[in-house]
Amino acid sequence: MAVQDTFYISHGSPTLSIDESIPARKFLQSWKQNVYPNKPNSILIISGHWETSVPTVNAISGRHDTIYDFYGFPKSMYQLKYPAPGPPPLAGRVKDLLTASGFPRVDVDAKRGLDHGAWVPLMFMYPEADIPVCQLSIQTDRDATYHYNMGKALAPLKDEGVLVVGSGSATHNLRALREIRGGGGRGSIVPWALEFDTWLKDALLEGRYEDVNQYEEKAPHAKMAHPWPDHFYPLHVATGAAGSDAKAKLIHGSWDLGALSYASYQFTSPPTS
């Protein structure tokens, strides 16, 4: 069955995996009931936690390893598993589509499992871990338009029943979060984060995808909201895969520590005639 939607999920802190007080956790747990009841054939997830010099897709035969790419957290987090199967044919299809669209080199990694930007949201969205998953890397030395074009190249996957999910954070300034945490603050949203998050919501809901591609020049406090673009580029892949005529919908909004936005979006393409 063809898929008309792509998604951008703000996965926030790794503690989402164990902290039941984080509102985004309940949102993800309600995924199949309230957000997307259809079961895709497979999932292609783009996480802000896999950076490579060229696009790289993992091609796992059997079950994925769970990568614990975080440090100093409670022991229980390192015992969680998400053993989703890997679909090697999808990895080959991703490589072929990107190559055909002008990406000169695309690598395949036959060993890498799923990092926490992939398995933490997926363990709530699809807890059975029975849907094949591939993960695609980002290139932080390239710009947003490059990642939007990567998504455009992958758009045919939707007709093949593949759900494309970008996983990052609508705002992601770890230094600011440490300062807020060190000062004992958790309450009110800091102005720079709210202004950027509001700009992003308005731009997406109004279909101004090119403005989002040019966010460094267009958005208020862009460098404060994203000192490094790793958690933002998965959004551009998702919007590119959805298409320029896709309609955006805010499907979740919440905050942690006054500066970490969990805003998440659905992009629905019009049906093809």
Side-chain angles (χ1 to χ4, degrees):
M1 182 177 67
V3 172
Q4 286 183 248
D5 305 275
T6 68
F7 292 90
Y8 175 68
I9 304 298
S10 288
H11 65 253
S13 168
T15 55
L16 177 69
S17 61
I18 61 169
D19 187 347
E20 296 184 6
S21 70
I22 298 176
R25 178 183 169 110
K26 295 181 177 62
F27 154 67
L28 292 170
Q29 287 174 326
S30 71
W31 183 262
K32 289 189 288 185
Q33 179 178 354
N34 297 332
V35 180
Y36 194 73
N38 300 326
K39 185 175 182 179
N41 294 336
S42 54
I43 297 169
L44 177 66
I45 190 161
I46 304 92
S47 163
H49 291 279
W50 191 13
E51 303 176 32
T52 58
S53 59
V54 298
T56 306
V57 60
N58 72 342
I60 301 300
S61 297
R63 298 280 175 170
H64 279 94
D65 290 333
T66 303
I67 300 174
Y68 305 104
D69 51 336
F70 43 76
Y71 309 95
F73 287 91
K75 182 179 179 180
S76 60
M77 291 173 59
Y78 302 91
Q79 298 170 340
L80 297 170
K81 303 285 186 185
Y82 192 74
L90 175 58
R93 180 75 172 126
V94 169
K95 179 175 181 176
D96 290 346
L97 287 170
L98 291 175
T99 302
S101 295
F103 289 82
R105 176 182 166 187
V106 181
D107 288 350
V108 175
D109 188 325
K111 296 181 179 179
R112 191 182 191 276
L114 299 176
D115 61 53
H116 82 268
W119 66 261
V120 169
L122 288 176
M123 70 181 288
F124 297 117
M125 296 161 65
Y126 299 103
E128 300 84 1
D130 60 348
I131 299 175
V133 178
C134 271
Q135 186 169 342
L136 177 65
S137 68
I138 56 168
Q139 287 72 66
T140 52
D141 60 338
R142 307 303 294 263
D143 63 10
T145 298
Y146 168 94
H147 289 84
Y148 182 85
N149 289 334
M150 182 186 294
K152 283 179 64 177
L154 298 172
L157 294 176
K158 296 183 297 177
D159 290 334
E160 300 164 23
V162 179
L163 184 66
V164 177
V165 179
S167 178
S169 286
T171 59
H172 192 255
N173 186 326
L174 296 182
R175 180 176 179 179
L177 291 172
R178 284 192 291 267
E179 291 174 353
I180 293 169
R181 186 181 290 112
R186 289 190 70 96
S188 59
I189 303 168
V190 296
W192 62 260
L194 182 59
E195 289 176 27
F196 179 88
D197 193 65
T198 300
W199 176 89
L200 177 62
K201 179 185 70 175
D202 291 344
L204 290 174
L205 297 189
E206 293 167 11
R208 293 188 283 113
Y209 299 121
E210 186 54 36
D211 282 357
V212 179
N213 288 346
Q214 304 296 327
Y215 76 99
E216 289 182 296
E217 292 78 33
K218 301 280 189 178
H221 315 291
K223 274 295 184 182
M224 193 70 179
H226 290 281
W228 196 244
D230 52 344
H231 277 57
F232 207 42
Y233 284 167
L235 167 66
H236 298 95
V237 180
T239 56
S244 60
D245 54 355
K247 297 297 183 184
K249 177 183 179 182
L250 178 68
I251 53 175
H252 178 74
S254 61
W255 292 86
D256 193 17
L257 291 170
L260 184 63
S261 171
Y262 280 90
S264 298
Y265 293 90
Q266 178 177 12
F267 305 98
T268 304
S269 305
T272 54
S273 55

